[in-house]
Amino acid sequence: MRISPLPLVVFCAFMAYPFWVMAGAEQSLLAFGMALMSSPDTAQVVIDLYIFAVLGCIWMYQDAKSRGKGMLYIAPFFVLTAVFVSAGPLLYLALRGDDRACSPSSSQKAGWPSS
């Protein structure tokens, strides 16, 4: 398995910050999320993020399916996406590898335009 370094670095930096914040937080992640949903302006941001999360999950599912991966492989990425939104797709991209190493036919099946 080839690991893409840029998405992995972004994933690690992205995940370090919420863990650092939550370590010193006075409320749980769930309580924080509920507080965000209590106001229409912040609820809009949360709704936008979860629309992005659903679109990311659809893309990850279709890409994993085209690469011959099953639901057991993709399920942890969905869970990570449900909790931290961007983390699931970032980790998926990191572990997915570099498409330049794939043959043209496999990159076209994954939905990437041909060069």
Side-chain angles (χ1 to χ4, degrees), residues 5-110:
L6 181 60
L8 186 59
V9 168
V10 174
F11 170 78
C12 290
F14 175 77
M15 291 308 294
Y17 183 70
F19 282 115
W20 176 73
V21 169
M22 293 311 295
E26 297 177 7
Q27 62 184 356
S28 70
L29 186 60
L30 186 59
F32 176 70
M34 294 304 289
L36 287 174
M37 292 302 289
S38 67
S39 172
D41 53 343
T42 55
Q44 178 61 47
V45 174
V46 173
I47 292 166
D48 286 346
L49 284 173
Y50 278 94
I51 290 171
F52 168 74
V54 168
L55 293 173
C57 287
I58 291 168
W59 172 77
M60 288 186 292
Y61 172 76
Q62 290 176 342
D63 186 67
K65 185 178 171 186
S66 73
R67 293 170 177 268
K69 306 284 186 184
M71 280 304 293
L72 285 177
Y73 175 80
I74 201 76
F77 299 106
F78 288 173
V79 171
L80 199 54
T81 302
V83 177
F84 294 106
V85 183
S86 299
L90 281 171
L91 185 59
Y92 180 81
L93 281 171
L95 297 179
R96 179 178 181 262
D98 192 356
D99 248 5
R100 289 175 288 189
C102 297
S103 66
S105 61
S106 66
S107 63
Q108 288 172 349
K109 280 194 272 183

